[in-house]
Amino acid sequence: MFAIMEKPGHMLACCIVAVVAATMLAACVSNPSQPEKNAAADAAGPVFYPPLPNAPRIQYLTTIASERDLAVKKDSFADFIVGEEKAAQRLTQPYGIALHKGKLYVADTGAGGLAIFDLAQQRFSFMTGNGAGRIKRPINIRIDADGTRYVTDTGRDQVLVFDREDRFVKAFGVEGQFRPVDLAIAGDRLYVADIAHHQVHVLEKGTGRLLFKFGKAGSGEGELFHPTNIALGPDGDIYVVETSNFRVQRFTAEGKPVRTYGSVGSALGSFARPKGIAMDKAGRLLVGDAAFQNVQIFDNNGKLLMFFGQTDGRADGLNLPAGVTVDYENIALFRRFADPKFNIDYLILVASQFGPNKVDIFGFGRMDGMDYPEGKPAVSPTAKPVS
């Protein structure tokens, strides 16, 4: 973390730190001990944003950090007697996350593979690939509608392609082409964020052939500086997080700049170390900030609507949040964690690179019997972003 200063000299120093942070997306962190349940938070009841008695839009639901979070805890004494107690496999340093047909895929940069949580069958597996499909340093994972998995691997500087059965199919990228950190799937195209060359490469999805690329190093319109995450909007536009430019830049599908969102600062609506991004069906932007330790939600005009997930010792605390994704298809798997009166429209999943909470799951929705004025921002007053 670093402080945002007002003086130009200090600002330059901050930018240098941001560059280092961006180029070391998966810097080594210590492996914390097994997370403990937060009894105080449980006793306090559900966690909402904004908090009651305001009309809440988001509820913290649960956390997944190891295979033990999949099933009901066994009798530890019985396990000891029969000798079945063993250490649970834990997430080390997650970044990208994807939820598809009841399975949670986590790109675990620290462990060098994909952690797969089968939520329906309550099974855990860890995928490293082999031979030509060996995974080295996964940053993000995206899953197409047909189940094809695309993994951006900075250890190989390639995009690895796996089929719906997790079998390796092919790899995109030749030596020196790019350092892919994230991608967006749009029809028959892949939009690949290249952190090394400050560009977005547009590939033909089936073959990996380069169609065109856009962006160059800089801070002007259409220029990029360490693009780390990318998302496809419901409007078909491409939204790119520039960690070292402290903003999100929007492009058309053909790479023409449209507008930018956010700027460097410590005030609400500003960024200090933006990384993960997701878009919901209404066109709202959800942007994670590893310095603020939260996710900010903007409308498509750039107005801040609310933020959530501050680290304050509660069960929903984020710690160096990286990947952010939304999911409309797997709500039923998490419904039991929600307040009976809270109706979930979609899930928000946030991966933290540090701390006990590795993947936090939130529900976005509305509470029965409460008034939600249309167009009125619901800025959470529970905490303030800190520099």
Side-chain angles (χ1 to χ4, degrees):
M1 254 188 296
F2 59 97
I4 301 301
M5 305 294 186
E6 297 295 335
K7 296 181 180 179
H10 289 166
M11 181 61 73
L12 176 60
C14 293
C15 289
I16 293 173
V17 174
V19 169
V20 175
T23 54
M24 297 180 66
L25 282 166
C28 292
V29 295
S30 61
N31 188 13
S33 59
Q34 177 71 17
E36 298 292 337
K37 296 296 183 181
N38 191 317
D42 291 342
V47 177
F48 292 107
Y49 293 91
L52 299 173
N54 301 285
R57 295 311 308 264
I58 291 174
Q59 181 183 352
Y60 163 76
L61 301 177
T62 189
T63 294
I64 294 177
S66 80
E67 61 178 320
R68 286 184 178 172
D69 294 317
L70 285 175
V72 177
K73 186 176 181 181
K74 296 181 180 179
D75 186 326
S76 58
F77 179 74
D79 288 341
F80 173 77
I81 293 298
V82 298
E84 294 180 357
E85 181 69 17
K86 65 181 181 68
Q89 290 185 268
R90 293 182 40 76
L91 293 172
T92 302
Q93 190 185 355
Y95 196 110
I97 44 180
L99 190 56
H100 182 76
K101 294 188 179 300
K103 291 184 178 181
L104 173 64
Y105 288 76
V106 183
D108 195 333
T109 304
L114 300 179
I116 305 173
F117 297 85
D118 188 328
L119 304 174
Q121 299 297 320
Q122 296 185 338
R123 294 174 182 171
F124 174 86
S125 60
F126 193 78
M127 174 181 162
T128 59
N130 54 69
R134 182 75 178 183
I135 300 171
K136 291 185 177 180
R137 197 172 183 80
I139 301 296
N140 266 300
I141 176 170
R142 302 294 180 183
I143 302 179
D144 207 350
D146 65 358
T148 302
R149 291 88 157 97
Y150 298 90
V151 179
T152 52
D153 191 321
T154 59
R156 296 182 48 156
D157 285 345
Q158 291 182 313
V159 176
L160 308 182
V161 185
F162 299 87
D163 67 14
R164 61 199 300 176
E165 304 298 328
D166 297 326
R167 294 172 299 205
F168 176 69
V169 177
K170 51 195 164 187
F172 297 152
V174 297
E175 185 175 356
Q177 180 179 352
F178 48 40
R179 174 152 292 178
V181 289
D182 194 13
L183 62 82
I185 304 169
D188 60 357
R189 292 177 173 181
L190 300 177
Y191 289 80
V192 182
D194 177 3
I195 193 172
H197 301 98
H198 314 283
Q199 294 178 319
V200 172
H201 297 243
V202 185
L203 309 181
E204 187 175 66
K205 186 172 69 174
T207 66
R209 180 174 65 90
L210 177 66
L211 300 176
F212 62 93
K213 53 189 175 181
F214 57 90
K216 64 178 182 177
S219 301
E221 183 182 46
E223 296 176 336
L224 299 169
F225 197 15
H226 291 123
T228 50
N229 291 79
I230 190 168
L232 174 70
D235 49 18
D237 285 352
I238 305 300
Y239 296 74
V240 183
V241 175
E242 303 175 63
T243 298
S244 296
N245 269 338
F246 314 99
R247 69 186 183 185
V248 174
Q249 189 163 186
R250 176 179 171 186
F251 297 87
T252 67
E254 302 307 313
K256 303 299 182 184
V258 176
R259 63 162 299 168
T260 61
Y261 302 84
S263 61
V264 64
S266 59
L268 292 171
S270 301
F271 297 121
R273 202 186 306 167
K275 286 189 176 180
I277 184 172
M279 303 282 296
D280 70 9
K281 292 180 179 179
R284 289 181 283 250
L285 291 75
L286 293 83
V287 184
D289 197 301
F292 289 161
Q293 313 281 39
N294 68 8
V295 175
Q296 299 187 83
I297 304 181
F298 302 84
D299 69 14
N300 210 251
N301 293 317
K303 178 191 294 184
L304 177 68
L305 301 177
M306 65 179 296
F307 62 96
F308 66 93
Q310 299 74 23
T311 298
D312 57 6
R314 298 182 309 186
D316 62 329
L318 304 180
N319 200 328
L320 295 184
V324 180
T325 191
V326 300
D327 178 84
Y328 288 84
E329 307 301 325
N330 296 275
I331 296 173
L333 293 171
F334 298 94
R335 179 67 250 183
R336 64 192 177 93
F337 297 105
D339 185 283
K341 295 183 179 181
F342 190 71
N343 301 296
I344 301 174
D345 296 330
Y346 59 83
L347 302 171
I348 305 171
L349 293 86
V350 185
S352 289
Q353 293 184 287
F354 193 68
N357 285 26
K358 295 305 185 184
V359 178
D360 286 322
I361 296 94
F362 302 83
F364 183 96
R366 295 174 179 241
M367 185 74 81
D368 286 343
M370 302 197 79
D371 183 34
Y372 290 85
E374 294 299 326
K376 181 179 178 181
V379 176
S380 170
T382 60
K384 181 179 180 180
V386 293
S387 56

